[in-house]
């Protein structure tokens, strides 16, 4: 098992804090726009899946019944 000292853990946390300082966080406006795009895409894909499901359901009922 590896022996880790307290100073190496402290150093790791200092480096982690330094890396977090380098992150470029997006603006609230950009987050809102991207969230809107995701919601619209999810709705469109959901509608496509619903139409395909109804079409397949109708087609299977025609074949069976």
């Amino acid at each position: 098992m590896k022996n880790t000292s307290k100073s190496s853990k402290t150093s790791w946390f200092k480096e982690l804090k330094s890396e977090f300082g380098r992150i470029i966080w997006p603006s609230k406006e950009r987050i809102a726009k991207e969230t809107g795009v995701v919601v619209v895409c999810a709705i469109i894909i959901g509608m496509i899946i619903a139409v395909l499901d109804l079409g397949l359901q109708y087609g299977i009922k025609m074949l069976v019944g």
Side-chain angles (χ1 to χ4, degrees):
M1 187 184 253
K2 202 175 189 182
N3 188 7
T4 59
S5 66
K6 187 176 180 179
S7 64
S8 67
K9 290 179 184 177
T10 305
S11 173
W12 185 82
F13 281 110
K14 285 181 181 178
E15 290 177 20
L16 181 65
K17 185 177 179 182
S18 172
E19 289 296 324
F20 264 98
R22 295 181 190 161
I23 296 173
I24 300 172
W25 298 102
S27 65
K28 289 182 182 181
E29 293 82 18
R30 181 170 176 158
I31 291 173
K33 286 180 184 177
E34 290 179 1
T35 301
V37 170
V38 169
V39 169
V40 168
C41 288
I43 290 170
I44 291 171
I45 291 171
M47 291 170 65
I48 291 170
I49 291 172
V51 168
L52 288 172
D53 182 50
L54 289 172
L56 288 171
Q57 189 177 25
Y58 177 75
I60 291 172
K61 282 184 180 179
M62 291 289 291
L63 289 173
V64 173

